[in-house]
Amino acid sequence: MPTTTQLAPQFDPSAIESAVYGRWLDAGVFTADRDSGREPYVIVIPPPNVTAVLHMGHGLNNTIQDVLIRFERMRGREALWLPGTDHAGIATQNVVERIFAKDGRSRHDVGREAFVERVWHHVHQTEGTIIAQLKAMGFSCDWTRTRFTLDDGYSAAVRHVFVTLHQDGLIYRGHRVIHWCPRCHTSLSDEEAAFEDTSGHLYHIRYQVVDPGETDPAFVTVATTRPETMFGDIALVYHPEDDRFTGRSGLTVEIPLTGVRIPIGTHTAVEREFGTGMLKITPAHDANDFDIANTILPNAPHPVILTEDARMADDERVPASLRGLDRFDARKRIVSMLEASGQLGRVDPHAHAVRYCYRCHTAVEPRLSDQWFVKMQPLAAPALVAHHRGDVRFVPDRWGKVYEQWLTEIRDWNISRQLWWGHRIPAWYCEAAGCDHITVSERDVDACDACGGPVRQDEDVLDTWFSSWLWPFATLGWPERTADLARFYPGHTLVTAPDIIFFWVARMVMAGYYFLDERPFDTVYMNGIVRDPQHRAFSKSLGNGIDPLEVVDAYGADALRYTVVAGAAAGTDVIMDRGDMDATFAAGRHFANKVWNLGRFILGNLDGAPAPVGALDTAQFELADRWILARCQRIAAETTAAMERFRLNDAVRTVYHFLWDDFADWYVEQVKPRLYGEASGGDVARAILCHVFRTALTLLHPFMPFVTEELWAHIPGGDEPMLAGAAWPTDNPALADEEAETRFARVRELISAVRTMRAEYGVPPAATVPIVTHPATLDTTEAFNAEQRTIERLAKASGLDLLGPMTGVGAHAVLGDGTAVFVPLGGAIDVTQECARLAGERTRLEHQIERVAAKLANLQFTERAPADVVERERAKEHTWREQCATLGDKLRALGC
RNA sequence: GGGCGAAUAGCUCAGCCGGUUCAGAGCGCCUGCCUUACACGCAGGAUGUCGGGGGUUCGAAUCCCUCUUCGCCCACCA
C-alpha cells in the first residue's frame, strides 16, 4: 500500500508528466475505435501552420478541445480528436525564402525543385516540434490518425475537389484585377489582403484638354491618391448628372508628362462629392476602374504599367526617366515633375484604407491578371440555411452574425497563387498551335484532352485554404468512402478563434454541404485571443509571446491548462503577462499542488483499501459524511451542466472550490480525529474520503489530466485502471441530502463566527476557549444533539471547547438563523491588558476624529474648497467613527 | 460609412435572459500561525457611488436611451 513517503510533499509536474503521457499512449486510450458501437464525438484540430512552433494561443485553443474531448470520452462516447498540421502555403514559403535570403539568395536562384525540397525539410522539423508541444500539454489526440494538408491522400482529395468544381462550372479561369503582393509575388484572395487605415495624400492633377472649344476649359483636374498609376489611365469620367462638367463628355485630354490622349466619359459610379468629381480610369490597377472601363470602353486595352514587383514598367506609356523606379519613389518623382510642369494642384492629407498582404504586410497592388476563381454564391447558400436552421451554431452566438454577413456578401474566391509551395493546380494548357484548350484532371496528363497536343501544367499552386476547407472529411480518407468517414463524419465541435471565420469556418461548412451533403460540425466554439497586458495580440515582432513549453517546464501542463480555461469565458480574450509569469500561473500551480497534497494526506491515512461507499452502513454516517456526499453529488451535476453549456470556466471553478473549500478545508479537517483514532468511525471516513476524492479527480481530469491521473493510480477503489478511460460521475439521487447541507452550513457558520471572535480579541492560537450557544434555538431541538457532536469535533480541531454558562466577560455573535454564540474570554486572554490596549486604540482614534472634524469645520468656511478633499476627509471621519464604535462594543463585552 | 464588443476591488477577470450565493474569484495587500497533507499552506481582515447621465420597474451591475473612452470586424469615395 502506498504511503506518503512515495509522494513528494510538493507536486513536481516534470517528475510525472512524460511517464503519465506514456501510459496513456501505451493503453491506447486516445485511439478512436471505429467498431465500438458507441456514439461518436469528433473534433478536428485546427491544424497549426508548420511555419513555426506553437504559442500560447494554440495552448488555449487546444486545451479547450482536449477538455471537451476528455469529457465526452469519459461520458462514454467514442471520442476522436483528429490532429494534424497545415502546409500554410504562402506563410511557409516566406519563412524558407527568408532562410535563403540570409545567404543573399532568392528562390529563383535555388530553383523550384530544390526550393520545395528545402521547405519539406523545414516542415518536418517544425512538425516534430509542434507534435512534441501538443503532447507536452497533455492533449489526447488520436496520433494514429495524424494528417498533413499536403500528404499524398490529402492531395488526392484536393485534386478531386478542383476537378469536381470545375466540371460543375464553379471553378473558372478569370481575367480581372486581383490583389497582388509585390513582395510575395503572388495574387491573394480578398480575405488575405486586409484593409488598414493609412494616412496618405490626395493629389490634384491637371489633365490638359486637347483642342478645347471656346466654352471648354484648358484643363480638368482629377484627384487621386495614386499619381503613379496615371500612365495606365484610359479615360476620365464624371457623374452624368454632375452640372459642373456638363458637356465635357467626349472631350479628349492628355495624360500629364506623356501626352497620351484619353477621352472623357460619364459613369454613375462616380461619387460627386469626392475630390473634384472627376475620376481617372486605370483599368489594370484598380478593380472598380476595371469594371467602369468595361462598360464605357469595352474594347479598349488595359495597359499594365507596373511590374510584378511594383516598379514602373519598361513601357512606352511610362516616361523613360521613371522606368524601373519603385512605385513609391516614382510617386515622389512624379509629384515634383508635375509641380515643375505646373500640372499639380492642391495636395491634401487624406486618410484612407489600404490593403496589405496578411503575410508580409506589404501594400497590396491591384493588378490585372489571369487567375482561377471559385464561384461562391452556390456554395454559400446551404451554409446560410444551415445557420438559419440552427444546424450550425456559434458559441457565443453573436459570431453567427459575422458568419452570415460574409456569406451574404460573398464574392468569388481567387484560389491560384504564384507560389511554389502548395498543391499544384491540376490544369494543363495545350501548346499546340490554334488550340487553347485547358485539360483539368485528377491524374497527371501529358496530352491535350481536345487535340492530343503537347501540354504544360499550370505553374501555380492553390490557396492554402483551398485544402484547409476540406479538413473535416479529407482527413478521414475522402474521397474514398472509408470506414472512418462513415463513422466519424459529420463531426461535432469546432474550436477556433474568430479571426478565421471567413478563411476557414465558413468555407468548411460550404465544402461539407457541397461534397458530403452534411454539416462538418454542429457547434463552433469561439475561443478568445491571447494578448499581453497592453491588449496586443502575441506576435514574434513584439517579442511578447509565451512559449507553452516554457510554461510547462516552469509550472506544469496542468497549471497552464487551468490558467487558460479558468481565465477564459467563451469568446473572451485572455490576458497573459510575460513579465510576471509567476502571478499569471500561480492559481493553477497552487491548485495542482493542493490536489497533490490532498492525495498525499488520504494515502497517508489509509489502512488498506476501504470498503466501497455503497457497502457502508449509512446509520454510521455523521452529519459531515452525509453533507460531503450530498455536496459531491451536487457538484458533479453542476459541473456536467456547465460542460454541456460550454461554460468550461464555470465547470473548472466549480470543481476547484469543491475540492479546496469544501473537501479540504472542512471535510478533511472534520474527519481528522476519526482518522487518528481519537474518535470512532475512522473506517467510514476513509471510505468516504476515497470515494469523494476519486469523484473529484474524475471531474477535474479533463482540465488537469496529469496530476489527477497520477493520483488515480494510487488511490484505491477505482474500477478503471486509467482515469482517462474512467466513467464520468452519473447522477446519484440517493446521495442528495438537503437537510445535511443546510445543517452543515450552520455548523460552518458557527465555527467561522468563533474564529472571527478569537482573531478579533487576540486569543492566542494555543489557548482553548469554551463556547456557548443559546439554548433556545439549538439546544432543545433533536437535530442539535447530532450536530452537537460535530460541532464539538470541529471545535476541538480548532482548539475550542463547548462548555460553560453564557454569562460573564466574553464576545458574542448572532448567526444567520438567530442562534446566539457566546465566547467567554476570561480564561483565554488577559482581560485587563486587552482592555488597556483597546482603550488606547480608542483614544488614538478619538484624537484623529477631533482633528479631522476641525479640518472639516475650517474647510466649510474656505471658499472653493476642493470637493474631493472634503469628500476624502468626510470618508475618513466616517470610517474612524465606525471603528470607534466597534471598539466601544468590544470594551463593553470585556466589561471595561 | 456600416456593424460588433468592452468599461465591475490595486491587477486580470467572472456575474449581465432583473429580486437568496449578488456585489464575487484568483493574484496582490494587512494581521496571526512552520497546527506531522500542503507556507504553492491555514485562520482572520481591508478594498468597489459595478465608466458618466437619463429612463423602465416595487426593485437594475443585470433591461432601454444617451454620452465618454478603448478595441475589433466589414466596406469599390478614387
Side-chain angles (χ1 to χ4, degrees):
Chain A
M1 193 42 42
T3 64
T4 45
T5 54
Q6 278 183 277
L7 301 184
Q10 282 211 340
F11 176 50
D12 177 8
S14 62
I16 63 144
E17 284 179 355
S18 61
V20 168
Y21 202 88
R23 274 190 268 146
W24 287 328
L25 291 184
D26 291 344
V29 281
F30 301 162
T31 308
D33 180 1
R34 269 194 296 277
D35 307 317
S36 69
R38 284 191 282 265
E39 188 192 350
Y41 177 75
V42 180
I43 296 180
V44 290
I45 201 171
N49 288 353
V50 288
T51 317
V53 299
L54 306 184
H55 52 70
M56 272 316 285
H58 296 103
L60 167 65
N61 171 254
N62 288 299
T63 297
I64 290 164
Q65 294 175 72
D66 196 39
V67 168
L68 294 171
I69 277 284
R70 284 181 184 270
F71 169 63
E72 296 293 359
R73 185 182 291 131
M74 293 172 92
R75 289 175 107 195
R77 291 175 72 173
E78 193 58 51
L80 167 60
W81 186 10
L82 197 149
T85 46
D86 194 306
H87 71 283
I90 184 168
T92 310
Q93 170 155 336
N94 282 354
V95 168
V96 177
E97 278 186 356
R98 253 177 263 134
I99 294 171
F100 280 115
K102 279 183 192 154
D103 313 336
R105 289 193 291 172
S106 78
R107 72 185 215 231
H108 300 283
D109 298 330
V110 182
R112 185 164 188 155
E113 206 172 317
F115 182 82
V116 168
E117 204 168 304
R118 181 65 183 77
V119 178
W120 273 112
H121 176 69
H122 180 263
V123 166
H124 292 314
Q125 239 173 4
T126 39
E127 194 178 30
T129 310
I130 286 168
I131 286 171
Q133 285 177 306
L134 293 172
K135 288 179 175 172
M137 287 183 268
F139 299 146
S140 60
C141 306
D142 183 347
W143 300 109
T144 65
R145 290 180 165 89
T146 309
R147 297 298 300 267
F148 179 53
T149 59
L150 200 53
D151 64 35
D152 289 342
Y154 210 101
S155 295
V158 168
R159 279 201 176 191
H160 183 74
V161 163
F162 188 95
V163 172
T164 305
L165 289 176
H166 185 258
Q167 279 168 357
D168 295 350
L170 294 180
I171 280 186
Y172 63 94
R173 189 130 174 95
H175 178 73
R176 63 177 66 167
V177 174
I178 44 80
H179 311 295
W180 178 266
C181 176
R183 207 229 50 90
C184 300
H185 276 232
T186 180
S187 67
L188 300 168
S189 66
D190 293 342
E191 290 70 34
E192 290 171 318
F195 278 111
E196 215 168 284
D197 287 331
T198 307
S199 59
H201 297 278
L202 195 55
Y203 302 92
H204 289 69
I205 299 172
R206 298 185 185 118
Y207 284 60
Q208 209 86 49
V209 177
V210 178
D211 299 329
E214 275 180 23
T215 58
D216 295 327
F219 56 82
V220 293
T221 306
V222 171
T224 180
T225 56
R226 305 206 53 201
E228 68 276 12
T229 63
M230 70 183 175
F231 307 121
D233 290 353
I234 61 161
L236 300 185
V237 294
Y238 61 90
H239 195 279
E241 288 157 28
D242 191 338
D243 299 339
R244 294 172 296 178
F245 302 119
T246 308
R248 303 287 149 74
S249 182
L251 292 180
T252 299
V253 295
E254 285 183 355
I255 297 175
L257 308 181
T258 65
V260 171
R261 297 186 171 195
I262 57 174
I264 296 182
T266 63
H267 198 278
T268 50
V270 180
E271 192 70 44
R272 276 173 278 179
E273 311 303 320
F274 189 88
T276 61
M278 187 69 79
L279 172 64
K280 68 195 237 348
I281 299 300
T282 321
H285 297 289
D286 186 292
N288 299 314
D289 290 5
F290 180 75
D291 292 340
I292 293 173
N294 283 340
T295 56
I296 62 169
L297 297 166
N299 299 316
H302 301 147
V304 175
I305 54 94
L306 286 163
T307 62
E308 291 186 347
D309 45 7
R311 294 173 179 281
M312 301 306 290
D314 190 6
D315 185 285
E316 56 176 6
R317 276 180 153 255
V318 178
S321 66
L322 295 173
R323 291 176 197 167
L325 271 185
D326 172 79
R327 55 187 163 164
F328 299 121
D329 296 334
R331 182 183 301 173
K332 286 181 205 142
R333 280 277 276 285
I334 290 165
V335 167
S336 59
M337 286 163 79
L338 288 171
E339 208 167 9
S341 68
Q343 286 166 293
L344 184 68
R346 283 207 330 273
V347 178
D348 299 330
H350 182 66
H352 60 140
V354 174
R355 285 185 189 261
Y356 289 87
C357 171
Y358 84 139
R359 282 302 168 198
C360 74
H361 204 72
T362 303
V364 157
E365 191 58 48
R367 183 179 180 84
L368 186 61
S369 72
D370 294 305
Q371 305 287 343
W372 290 97
F373 293 88
V374 180
K375 200 179 280 181
M376 296 302 271
Q377 212 127 23
L379 293 165
L384 270 171
V385 171
H387 184 247
H388 287 151
R389 278 207 311 246
D391 291 344
V392 174
R393 62 160 185 152
F394 287 79
V395 176
D397 58 7
R398 70 184 125 90
W399 292 108
K401 281 188 206 161
V402 178
Y403 169 90
E404 289 222 357
Q405 194 212 338
W406 185 74
L407 284 174
T408 309
E409 297 168 7
I410 200 156
R411 281 176 288 174
D412 286 359
W413 177 15
N414 170 9
I415 51 170
S416 44
R417 298 289 174 275
Q418 289 63 51
L419 304 170
W420 287 349
W421 175 244
H423 293 277
R424 186 102 174 245
I425 293 175
W428 286 261
Y429 302 96
C430 184
E431 301 211 287
C435 177
D436 56 2
H437 182 74
I438 303 174
T439 307
V440 170
S441 161
E442 287 188 45
R443 303 193 168 196
D444 287 359
V445 297
D446 48 20
C448 174
D449 259 2
C451 73
V455 290
R456 163 182 61 81
Q457 186 175 4
D458 195 313
E459 293 291 321
D460 294 348
V461 301
L462 290 159
D463 181 0
T464 196
W465 300 100
F466 191 84
S467 51
S468 312
W469 74 329
L470 315 176
W471 189 247
F473 48 87
T475 49
L476 295 171
W478 185 91
E480 303 297 322
R481 303 177 57 91
T482 62
D484 264 10
L485 186 70
R487 181 101 170 96
F488 297 118
Y489 191 92
H492 300 86
T493 312
L494 176 75
V495 181
T496 188
D499 54 349
I500 51 175
I501 289 180
F502 310 146
F503 282 116
W504 197 46
V505 179
R507 285 173 181 157
M508 278 192 287
V509 177
M510 291 188 260
Y513 278 105
Y514 194 81
F515 294 105
L516 288 134
D517 209 23
E518 249 183 307
R519 63 188 175 193
F521 32 74
D522 53 55
T523 303
V524 182
Y525 178 101
M526 287 294 169
N527 61 251
I529 294 172
V530 181
R531 300 178 183 278
D532 71 7
Q534 282 83 52
H535 294 85
R536 299 174 305 191
F538 282 174
S539 80
K540 256 193 208 148
S541 53
L542 288 171
N544 57 354
I546 297 176
D547 178 358
L549 280 187
E550 223 178 281
V551 176
V552 169
D553 286 346
Y555 307 100
D558 290 328
L560 182 158
R561 298 167 59 113
Y562 177 83
T563 302
V564 296
V565 174
T572 62
D573 290 347
V574 184
I575 309 296
M576 284 196 182
D577 188 355
R578 199 197 151 67
D580 197 352
M581 302 275 278
D582 281 348
T584 302
F585 296 100
R589 180 167 57 141
H590 295 179
F591 185 41
N593 187 241
K594 186 71 184 181
V595 176
W596 179 257
N597 273 289
L598 269 168
R600 275 186 79 212
F601 173 79
I602 293 170
L603 287 174
N605 286 285
L606 285 184
D607 179 20
V613 164
L616 296 176
D617 175 11
T618 53
Q620 291 182 4
F621 284 8
E622 300 196 8
L623 173 62
D625 298 332
R626 286 191 286 128
W627 164 72
I628 198 68
L629 288 170
R631 187 94 191 113
C632 185
Q633 135 79 18
R634 182 186 292 281
I635 256 54
E638 277 180 18
T639 307
T640 309
M643 289 298 297
E644 284 170 345
R645 287 164 51 224
F646 291 96
R647 305 288 302 242
L648 309 197
N649 56 335
D650 287 346
V652 73
R653 278 168 205 270
T654 301
V655 182
Y656 175 100
H657 288 293
F658 172 69
L659 258 170
W660 203 316
D661 301 349
D662 294 331
F663 188 61
D665 288 351
W666 289 94
Y667 187 72
V668 167
E669 292 306 326
Q670 194 277 343
V671 115
K672 276 178 177 173
R674 289 153 74 183
L675 298 178
Y676 298 158
E678 297 159 13
S680 60
D683 288 343
V684 171
R686 274 182 271 272
I688 293 177
L689 276 175
C690 282
H691 170 83
V692 172
F693 192 53
R694 259 189 280 108
T695 307
L697 288 179
T698 312
L699 296 174
L700 187 59
H701 182 258
F703 305 96
M704 304 178 85
F706 287 109
V707 69
T708 51
E709 185 71 77
E710 180 65 17
L711 290 170
W712 182 265
H714 292 88
I715 302 287
D719 299 332
E720 286 289 331
M722 203 151 286
L723 180 53
W728 189 256
T730 48
D731 255 4
N732 189 352
L735 294 176
D737 191 338
E738 259 183 67
E739 192 217 351
E741 289 186 85
T742 310
R743 284 173 52 204
F744 197 80
R746 289 163 75 194
V747 173
R748 271 169 85 150
E749 200 186 1
L750 169 62
I751 301 292
S752 290
V754 175
R755 283 174 182 167
T756 304
M757 287 186 272
R758 287 178 65 105
E760 280 186 349
Y761 288 94
V763 179
T768 301
V769 182
I771 65 167
V772 183
T773 53
H774 193 287
T777 50
L778 278 180
D779 231 354
T780 55
T781 61
E782 274 293 312
F784 183 67
N785 293 328
E787 277 180 13
Q788 180 85 26
R789 288 203 303 275
T790 308
I791 292 170
E792 278 168 9
R793 193 153 289 136
L794 280 166
K796 192 175 267 176
S798 309
L800 305 175
D801 276 322
L802 291 157
L803 346 132
M806 198 167 186
T807 55
V809 172
H812 79 278
V814 180
L815 305 185
D817 64 352
T819 306
V821 184
F822 180 71
V823 179
L825 293 167
I829 58 173
D830 184 333
V831 174
T832 323
Q833 205 183 325
E834 181 68 3
C835 278
R837 192 182 68 80
L838 293 174
E841 182 78 358
R842 183 163 68 167
T843 313
R844 193 178 60 80
L845 271 173
E846 279 167 354
H847 285 161
Q848 285 183 348
I849 291 167
E850 271 171 40
R851 277 213 303 277
V852 78
K855 191 170 179 184
L856 278 166
N858 270 339
L859 284 172
Q860 202 179 338
F861 297 109
T862 311
E863 296 268 330
R864 290 159 43 196
D868 59 324
V869 172
V870 176
E871 199 58 39
R872 209 182 314 135
E873 296 301 318
R874 285 233 174 85
K876 268 193 216 165
E877 187 194 4
H878 182 72
T879 332
W880 288 338
R881 277 194 195 283
E882 278 190 346
Q883 288 176 1
C884 231
T886 312
L887 285 171
D889 289 345
K890 284 188 183 179
L891 283 164
R892 265 193 300 286
L894 294 176
C896 307

